[in-house]
Amino acid sequence: MTESLPTPSNRDPETAARTRESTRPLRRPSVAPPPPPGAKTAKPTHSPSPKNLKVAVAPPPPPGAKAAKPTHSPSPKNLKVAEKLKPTPGHPTLKQLIYDAFKAGNSDIHLGVNEVPRMRDRGEMILTEYPITDTRTFNSWLYEVLTEEEIQKFKTTLEFDGATQYDFARVRINIFETLRGPAIVMRIIPLKILTLEQLKAPEVFKAISDAHKGLILVTGPTGSGKSTTMAAMVDYINKNHAKHIITIEDPIEFIHQSRKSLIKQREVGIHTRKFDNALKAALREDPDVILIGEMRDRETVNTALKAAQTGHLVMGTLHTNSAVKTLERILSLYSAEEQDAMRMAMSESIVSIISQGLCRTTDGKRAAYHDILINTETIKDYIRQGKNDEIFELMKEGEFDGMITSNLSLFNLYQQGRITEETALEKSPTPNEMAQMLRGRI
């Protein structure tokens, strides 16, 4: 008769114990078993931090407990819904649209329900070959870049401002409601920050960025390259000066890595509740340079001037078309009784005002033209006296100090063969004067 194998009931006690031990699930060596009831807790082998240790080190979840939700959003932001809600067949995903625009060198993407997707190619709006966007496709795009909370916020406020990032580019997003349905406009921001040399910026930009204190304003209409110029100037400071740079943006566009300088970037709505609060707090954060995404109102201007007068270098943007109009725009925020004091404050604080625009070049690319005011001693005196016409005339003759007018900048591009005569006339703030320059009369 064949001898039967030992069963759990007929094994000897030692063999049974070894068998039970070998079949137990392995425990992670890094997680200690919980102490028995009533036992004293062992002292830690390392010194705890002075803060509450329980907050810093979360205990393992009890058996059967649900896993905690991650503190960051996966990509796409609402993954489960995005998997179910896909674009209608024949329509691209939002990531594909953005990638196609990035590869083609487009700057902006315009999408909307019941509209054909469009791109902005070097300043010109162009139609794409994609089909008309339907509601299902548009909603799937929303879930690619927004969380459920952000979508509910958009439905409540009918507007949304934010940004997202891919491995090839960063994208600034604005969503809004229209007569035909919801729409999205996206600005594509390259991950690589162009240098001042790559932008072919005037040499005086480096001297302006070398300033230790004061106010630098970069102005121009929407889409004129203000953010790109500001990023290049901050990048120059970052590489050449050991300073503490704080940026306050809505939203963050270009992402900087600390090099010789230490850079801290804050986004309104994520890292701070209110723009003004962040700007005032920045003064207590030991900054050397404060970058303000946009100087929106008199309170922001007041705080920026105060920071510039107390030994900080402040950089900000405004939507104006020339350096002289920038002075007038700031003064317009104040009453007649306050304007004399503001002229004095601006004359003491301003380092430079750079107004710029973009124009299409003969090789199909784009070039920037500038209106640059440098605050020399003479300019300071003219600002105090409100002699704006004299300031403009002095800018025409201030090439030695790095000043230039838009017309002269356009004329230089024309002489270099980079733009046509028609482009120079189209972009000129004073076409009659430009026409005389092109004919050799000026």
Side-chain angles (χ1 to χ4, degrees), residues 323-382:
V324 172
K325 286 182 179 178
T326 302
L327 296 172
E328 296 172 352
R329 170 70 183 279
I330 294 175
L331 285 173
S332 69
L333 299 174
Y334 298 87
S335 65
E337 293 77 14
E338 297 172 310
Q339 289 189 4
D340 286 341
M342 284 308 303
R343 287 193 188 95
M344 181 67 68
M346 287 193 296
S347 69
E348 295 173 352
S349 303
I350 289 175
V351 174
S352 174
I353 300 175
I354 302 167
S355 181
Q356 73 174 46
L358 293 176
C359 58
R360 184 180 283 267
T361 56
T362 52
D363 59 358
K365 298 180 180 179
R366 288 200 292 179
Y369 58 94
H370 302 94
D371 197 61
I372 303 174
L373 169 68
I374 305 295
N375 196 14
T376 63
E377 291 301 319
T378 307
I379 294 291
K380 286 181 182 179
D381 189 44
Y382 285 177

Side-chain angles (χ1 to χ4, degrees), residues 321-328 353 355 370-374 376 378-380 382-383 386-399 403-409 428-434 437 442:
N321 295 325
S322 73
V324 172
K325 286 182 179 178
T326 302
L327 296 172
E328 296 172 352
I353 300 175
S355 181
H370 302 94
D371 197 61
I372 303 174
L373 169 68
I374 305 295
T376 63
T378 307
I379 294 291
K380 286 181 182 179
Y382 285 177
I383 292 175
K387 296 181 177 180
N388 292 342
D389 292 338
E390 285 84 346
I391 291 174
F392 182 70
E393 292 301 321
L394 198 61
M395 288 173 60
K396 293 180 179 179
E397 304 167 2
E399 187 176 354
M403 289 189 272
I404 196 170
T405 64
S406 294
N407 270 359
L408 184 55
S409 182
S428 171
T430 52
N432 290 338
E433 183 186 62
M434 175 57 70
M437 295 173 72
I442 297 179

Side-chain angles (χ1 to χ4, degrees), residues 264-305:
K264 300 288 179 63
Q265 294 183 264
R266 305 188 70 192
E267 180 170 323
V268 178
I270 297 178
H271 311 120
T272 180
R273 300 298 180 197
K274 292 181 64 179
F275 191 92
D276 295 334
N277 292 349
L279 181 54
K280 290 173 182 176
L283 298 178
R284 299 186 292 272
E285 293 161 1
D286 188 32
D288 297 295
V289 181
I290 303 173
L291 185 145
I292 305 169
E294 186 179 344
M295 297 176 66
R296 309 177 179 189
D297 48 43
R298 61 178 287 165
E299 188 174 0
T300 304
V301 172
N302 284 340
T303 309
L305 287 171

Side-chain angles (χ1 to χ4, degrees), residues 12 15-16 53 60 84 106 119 128 204 249 292 323 325 379 429:
D12 63 88
T15 304
L53 192 61
K84 295 179 182 178
N106 302 140
M119 309 287 183
T128 66
V204 73
E249 303 170 75
I292 305 169
K325 286 182 179 178
I379 294 291

Side-chain angles (χ1 to χ4, degrees), residues 2 4-5 30 36 50 54 63 85 130 133 142 206 234 253 259 277 288 311 338 366-367 385 402 405-406 424:
T2 305
S4 61
L5 292 173
S30 60
K54 291 181 180 178
L85 187 62
Y130 296 112
T133 302
L142 291 185
K206 293 182 180 179
V234 170
E253 297 187 333
R259 298 181 186 276
N277 292 349
D288 297 295
E338 297 172 310
R366 288 200 292 179
Q385 299 178 47
T405 64
S406 294

Side-chain angles (χ1 to χ4, degrees), residues 68-133:
K69 292 182 179 180
T71 56
H72 62 280
S73 302
S75 180
K77 289 192 174 180
N78 205 329
L79 193 59
K80 291 182 179 179
V81 179
E83 288 175 351
K84 295 179 182 178
L85 187 62
K86 294 183 178 180
T88 303
H91 293 256
T93 63
L94 190 64
K95 182 177 180 179
Q96 185 62 50
L97 267 170
I98 294 169
Y99 183 75
D100 290 348
F102 170 76
K103 292 296 288 184
N106 302 140
S107 60
D108 298 87
I109 304 170
H110 293 254
L111 308 172
V113 174
N114 299 318
E115 298 281 1
V116 174
R118 299 170 190 253
M119 309 287 183
R120 189 171 292 278
D121 179 27
R122 295 168 181 84
E124 295 184 5
M125 189 77 81
I126 58 172
L127 277 169
T128 66
E129 297 180 355
Y130 296 112
I132 294 174
T133 302

